Amino acid sequence: MHDFCFTIPYGLVLIVGGVVGYVKKGSTASLGGGVGIGLVLILAGYLSLDAFKKRKNSYLAFVIETGCAAALTWVMAQRYMQTSKIMPAGVVAGISAIMTAFYLYKIATGGNHIPAKAD
Protein backbone atom coordinates (compact mmCIF):
# COMPACT_ATOMS: atom_id res chain seq x y z
CA MET A 1 0.00 0.00 0.00
CA HIS A 2 1.27 3.45 -0.86
CA ASP A 3 1.61 6.16 1.77
CA PHE A 4 -0.56 8.68 -0.06
CA CYS A 5 -3.50 6.22 0.04
CA PHE A 6 -3.61 6.73 3.81
CA THR A 7 -2.06 10.19 4.20
CA ILE A 8 -4.67 12.16 2.28
CA PRO A 9 -7.65 10.59 4.15
CA TYR A 10 -5.75 10.96 7.46
CA GLY A 11 -5.29 14.68 6.73
CA LEU A 12 -8.98 15.04 5.86
CA VAL A 13 -10.01 13.33 9.10
CA LEU A 14 -7.83 15.75 11.08
CA ILE A 15 -9.34 18.74 9.28
CA VAL A 16 -12.90 17.53 9.91
CA GLY A 17 -12.02 16.81 13.56
CA GLY A 18 -10.55 20.27 14.00
CA VAL A 19 -13.65 21.92 12.52
CA VAL A 20 -15.99 19.77 14.64
CA GLY A 21 -13.98 20.60 17.78
CA TYR A 22 -14.28 24.30 16.97
CA VAL A 23 -18.01 24.15 16.21
CA LYS A 24 -18.92 22.04 19.27
CA LYS A 25 -16.57 23.50 21.89
CA GLY A 26 -15.29 26.73 20.36
CA SER A 27 -11.76 25.33 20.51
CA THR A 28 -9.46 27.42 18.36
CA ALA A 29 -6.62 25.01 19.27
CA SER A 30 -8.59 22.17 17.68
CA LEU A 31 -9.31 24.28 14.63
CA GLY A 32 -5.72 25.46 14.19
CA GLY A 33 -4.11 22.14 15.00
CA GLY A 34 -6.50 19.95 13.06
CA VAL A 35 -6.71 22.14 9.98
CA GLY A 36 -3.03 23.09 10.05
CA ILE A 37 -1.60 19.60 10.41
CA GLY A 38 -4.32 18.17 8.17
CA LEU A 39 -3.37 20.55 5.35
CA VAL A 40 0.34 19.80 5.78
CA LEU A 41 -0.42 16.07 5.56
CA ILE A 42 -2.56 16.52 2.47
CA LEU A 43 0.28 18.49 0.87
CA ALA A 44 2.76 15.74 1.78
CA GLY A 45 0.38 13.12 0.39
CA TYR A 46 0.11 15.08 -2.84
CA LEU A 47 3.92 15.35 -3.07
CA SER A 48 4.18 11.61 -2.65
CA LEU A 49 1.44 10.93 -5.22
CA ASP A 50 3.07 13.28 -7.71
CA ALA A 51 6.46 11.59 -7.22
CA PHE A 52 4.82 8.17 -7.62
CA LYS A 53 3.30 9.25 -10.94
CA LYS A 54 6.86 10.09 -12.03
CA ARG A 55 7.94 6.58 -10.88
CA LYS A 56 9.92 7.95 -7.92
CA ASN A 57 9.64 8.21 -4.15
CA SER A 58 9.37 11.52 -2.29
CA TYR A 59 11.48 11.13 0.82
CA LEU A 60 10.63 14.70 1.78
CA ALA A 61 6.98 13.62 1.94
CA PHE A 62 7.90 10.62 4.11
CA VAL A 63 9.78 12.87 6.55
CA ILE A 64 6.90 15.37 6.74
CA GLU A 65 4.30 12.63 7.20
CA THR A 66 6.32 10.84 9.87
CA GLY A 67 7.08 14.05 11.74
CA CYS A 68 3.46 15.19 11.80
CA ALA A 69 2.14 11.79 12.87
CA ALA A 70 4.80 11.37 15.57
CA ALA A 71 4.18 14.87 16.93
CA LEU A 72 0.43 14.26 17.06
CA THR A 73 1.00 10.92 18.78
CA TRP A 74 3.13 12.58 21.45
CA VAL A 75 0.89 15.61 22.03
CA MET A 76 -2.41 13.73 22.04
CA ALA A 77 -1.01 10.90 24.20
CA GLN A 78 0.06 13.52 26.76
CA ARG A 79 -3.40 15.08 26.63
CA TYR A 80 -5.03 11.66 27.04
CA MET A 81 -2.86 10.92 30.09
CA GLN A 82 -3.92 14.22 31.65
CA THR A 83 -7.64 13.97 30.89
CA SER A 84 -8.31 10.23 30.40
CA LYS A 85 -10.75 11.22 27.65
CA ILE A 86 -10.88 8.77 24.78
CA MET A 87 -12.42 11.35 22.46
CA PRO A 88 -10.60 13.08 20.87
CA ALA A 89 -7.19 12.68 22.54
CA GLY A 90 -7.10 8.88 22.82
CA VAL A 91 -8.48 8.30 19.34
CA VAL A 92 -6.14 10.78 17.64
CA ALA A 93 -3.15 9.44 19.60
CA GLY A 94 -4.01 5.88 18.57
CA ILE A 95 -4.56 6.66 14.90
CA SER A 96 -1.43 8.80 14.82
CA ALA A 97 0.65 6.05 16.45
CA ILE A 98 -0.54 3.59 13.79
CA MET A 99 0.27 6.10 11.05
CA THR A 100 3.72 6.76 12.52
CA ALA A 101 4.45 3.02 12.52
CA PHE A 102 3.20 2.77 8.92
CA TYR A 103 5.43 5.65 7.77
CA LEU A 104 8.46 4.20 9.55
CA TYR A 105 7.75 0.87 7.86
CA LYS A 106 7.57 2.58 4.46
CA ILE A 107 10.87 4.36 5.11
CA ALA A 108 12.55 1.15 6.32
CA THR A 109 11.39 -0.80 3.27
CA GLY A 110 12.54 1.80 0.75
CA GLY A 111 9.36 3.78 0.20
CA ASN A 112 6.51 3.10 -2.19
CA HIS A 113 6.90 0.07 -4.44
CA ILE A 114 7.21 1.31 -8.01
CA PRO A 115 5.86 -1.36 -10.35
CA ALA A 116 7.92 -2.37 -13.36
CA LYS A 117 7.10 -0.41 -16.46
CA ALA A 118 4.91 -2.37 -18.84
CA ASP A 119 6.20 -2.54 -22.39
Side-chain angles (χ1 to χ4, degrees):
M1 190 56 86
H2 307 297
D3 65 305
F4 51 82
C5 295
F6 291 113
T7 301
I8 294 169
Y10 175 44
L12 290 172
V13 166
L14 291 173
I15 289 170
V16 169
V19 171
V20 168
Y22 178 74
V23 169
K24 283 192 164 195
K25 301 281 185 176
S27 173
T28 54
S30 290
L31 182 65
V35 172
I37 291 180
L39 288 173
V40 169
L41 284 167
I42 289 171
L43 174 65
Y46 173 77
L47 288 172
S48 182
L49 176 60
D50 191 50
F52 182 77
K53 288 179 184 176
K54 295 175 185 171
R55 307 185 59 73
K56 297 180 181 204
N57 277 302
S58 173
Y59 292 102
L60 173 63
F62 284 129
V63 169
I64 293 168
E65 293 162 349
T66 307
C68 287
L72 266 178
T73 300
W74 177 259
V75 169
M76 296 309 271
Q78 294 294 318
R79 183 164 296 154
Y80 173 72
M81 289 165 128
Q82 292 171 350
T83 65
S84 298
K85 292 184 179 178
I86 292 291
M87 196 63 182
V91 172
V92 174
I95 292 170
S96 297
I98 291 167
M99 292 304 293
T100 301
F102 172 70
Y103 296 137
L104 290 172
Y105 168 78
K106 294 305 286 181
I107 291 169
T109 58
N112 291 321
H113 172 69
I114 309 294
K117 194 170 188 178
D119 292 323

